[in-house]
Amino acid sequence: IYKEEIYTQSLTNNASIFNTDIAVYKDGLILGRRIGTTMLVVSNSDLDIEIDIPVRVVSENGKVAADTQSGNKFTVSLKSDGTVWSYGQNTNGELGIGNNQNKNLPTKVSVTKDVEVEAKDEKTGETLIDETTGKAVMTTEKEEQTVKQISVGENHVVALTTNGEIFTWGLNTNGQLGNGSNASKNTPVKIDIEVDDELQPVKEKFIKVVANKNTTYAITQTGKVYAWGENYSNVPKLLELYTNSETTSDTTSTTTSDSTSSSTSASSTKAETKQYENVMDISKNYYLNKEGIVKKLSDNSEIKLSYNETKETEEKVIQTEKVVQMSEGVNHLVLLGEDGRVYTYGTNTYGQLGD
């Protein structure tokens, strides 16, 4: 079992794990059921605060969660050592191997980025020094990246590294690679996304990437979502997914009618404030927030979960509140509730709802 200790013991008395499929919380420790990323929700009622902490469950030797996904006639595999391998059709460079040749055996994808290093003398191996400045001469070389998650669209791939950086390759006719152009790429391209919070400018890391047919999403550690591709643009844009909350303000006014009398009145006004949703997962038409609620991307309306329970002659409609996992098909949605039940929603022409 994998473990990660929570260092703030004063807050961990009121903690819960959002995705129970990944991990559970017990006695100040996160106990991982399997490798992956989950969200720890820590609260303190005395201070009236709640903190969301993304937690990545890894094995003791630092291996990542192995995965295999298929696109349109091609397959991409992520090994536990963080390397990516691909095979199959390669018309649009979806294999990411530097050419457009099909492969019938797994071929390693070189996921690298340029890093600045000190230049070395080829013969002696010593650092080269600039005679004018007296400083080391710098040069650029490729550095292999460790990938922790992949997601495969119809003809493109997005990869997330252990450093929270994003690489894409493959078909780009809809801008799904997010590199500012619509030209397809047969090698991984690093996507630069500046993430600035409105109140406090910070640079966040990404914890999850999702590739749909011709669209790509990236979720930050605070649950904000960036999207690019079909229905968006060829550069990442922050989605305006808001949760509305009410705030109440009290006002007091005094009215004087003459020099000897006056009256005082108090009133309350309610205002609606907007906050970004804390998103855990997203698909083509829906997203799942940290409260376990599934909403439509189009209008933010909730998908309600319920099931019928018959006891003797009385039938009750039981409501369940949290969703822990979702998967969207072409025209239907499958949800896993916190209660362990499976819920389906959408078109049922071929019995895909299983009801």
Side-chain angles (χ1 to χ4, degrees), residues 69-124:
Q69 297 186 24
S70 294
N72 179 21
K73 302 175 185 176
F74 75 101
T75 302
V76 180
S77 298
L78 172 64
K79 293 179 64 174
S80 60
D81 62 2
T83 59
V84 179
W85 301 72
S86 61
Y87 42 101
Q89 181 174 276
N90 196 25
T91 306
N92 305 288
E94 45 267 75
L95 297 190
I97 57 176
N99 59 55
N100 288 61
Q101 297 177 357
N102 299 340
K103 294 292 180 180
N104 56 18
L105 288 174
T107 304
K108 188 175 182 294
V109 180
S110 182
V111 182
T112 63
K113 73 173 183 179
D114 292 333
V115 294
E116 197 175 54
V117 297
E118 294 180 352
K120 303 290 184 180
D121 186 284
E122 293 183 359
K123 294 181 178 180
T124 65

Side-chain angles (χ1 to χ4, degrees), residues 18-282:
F18 177 80
N19 190 341
T20 54
D21 182 47
I22 298 289
V24 293
Y25 173 81
K26 184 179 179 182
D27 300 331
L29 292 176
I30 296 173
L31 304 179
R33 291 196 172 99
R34 62 182 178 85
I35 299 172
T37 300
T38 186
M39 184 68 75
L40 175 69
V41 181
V42 181
S43 63
N44 187 304
S45 56
D46 295 333
L47 300 177
D48 191 27
I49 60 173
E50 183 176 284
I51 303 171
D52 303 318
I53 305 173
V55 176
R56 191 165 62 89
V57 180
V58 298
S59 63
E60 292 181 359
N61 57 5
K63 291 185 180 295
V64 303
D67 190 17
T68 293
Q69 297 186 24
S70 294
N72 179 21
K73 302 175 185 176
F74 75 101
T75 302
V76 180
S77 298
L78 172 64
K79 293 179 64 174
S80 60
D81 62 2
T83 59
V84 179
W85 301 72
S86 61
Y87 42 101
Q89 181 174 276
N90 196 25
T91 306
N92 305 288
E94 45 267 75
L95 297 190
I97 57 176
N99 59 55
N100 288 61
Q101 297 177 357
N102 299 340
K103 294 292 180 180
N104 56 18
L105 288 174
T107 304
K108 188 175 182 294
V109 180
S110 182
V111 182
T112 63
K113 73 173 183 179
D114 292 333
V115 294
E116 197 175 54
V117 297
E118 294 180 352
K120 303 290 184 180
D121 186 284
E122 293 183 359
K123 294 181 178 180
T124 65
E126 295 181 354
T127 300
L128 296 177
I129 302 299
D130 188 308
E131 294 180 357
T132 304
T133 63
K135 296 181 180 180
V137 176
M138 305 303 291
T139 186
T140 300
E141 65 178 32
K142 300 289 185 182
E143 181 182 76
E144 192 79 20
Q145 302 298 295
T146 301
V147 175
K148 70 175 183 179
Q149 189 220 332
I150 56 170
S151 188
V152 177
E154 185 174 61
N155 290 292
H156 80 289
V157 181
V158 56
L160 178 66
T161 70
T162 53
N163 294 324
E165 296 175 326
I166 298 171
F167 292 78
T168 59
W169 62 91
L171 185 67
N172 196 28
T173 53
N174 290 278
Q176 56 264 53
L177 299 189
N179 63 349
S181 78
N182 289 74
S184 300
K185 297 291 182 180
N186 57 24
T187 56
V189 177
K190 184 178 177 295
I191 306 304
D192 293 318
I193 307 175
E194 291 292 331
V195 184
D196 290 325
D197 189 89
E198 292 178 352
L199 299 179
Q200 183 180 359
V202 295
K203 191 155 188 175
E204 297 181 282
K205 283 188 176 182
F206 290 91
I207 62 171
K208 186 170 187 176
V209 289
V210 178
N212 292 148
K213 182 178 179 180
N214 295 310
T215 310
T216 308
Y217 300 99
I219 303 175
T220 74
Q221 60 191 21
T222 60
K224 293 186 181 72
V225 180
Y226 284 74
W228 57 95
E230 189 174 24
N231 298 323
Y232 300 104
S233 70
N234 57 18
V235 292
K237 298 292 185 183
L238 178 64
L239 291 189
E240 295 184 353
L241 302 176
Y242 296 112
T243 175
N244 295 326
S245 59
E246 278 190 349
T247 57
T248 302
S249 59
D250 297 323
T251 59
T252 302
S253 61
T254 302
T255 303
T256 302
S257 58
D258 54 39
S259 60
T260 59
S261 63
S262 65
S263 62
T264 302
S265 63
S267 63
S268 297
T269 58
K270 290 184 177 180
E272 194 173 61
T273 59
K274 287 184 176 181
Q275 294 180 338
Y276 280 108
E277 286 273 16
N278 194 329
V279 176
M280 300 294 295
D281 197 7
I282 193 166

Side-chain angles (χ1 to χ4, degrees), residues 288-349:
L288 171 65
N289 67 20
K290 70 148 190 171
E291 285 82 19
I293 299 172
V294 175
K295 295 184 178 182
K296 291 182 179 179
L297 275 171
S298 57
D299 58 10
N300 272 15
S301 60
E302 295 183 18
I303 303 298
K304 299 289 187 180
L305 301 188
S306 64
Y307 67 93
N308 295 330
E309 184 179 81
T310 303
K311 290 186 177 180
E312 298 177 355
T313 59
E314 182 183 3
E315 186 176 86
K316 292 183 177 180
V317 177
I318 310 298
Q319 299 286 339
T320 183
E321 295 184 358
K322 281 193 174 183
V323 174
V324 296
Q325 189 177 347
M326 72 174 187
S327 181
E328 184 180 3
V330 176
N331 292 303
H332 74 294
L333 183 68
V334 181
L335 307 173
L336 176 63
E338 188 180 41
D339 54 11
R341 289 180 168 86
V342 175
Y343 299 81
T344 55
Y345 171 88
T347 302
N348 198 27
T349 308

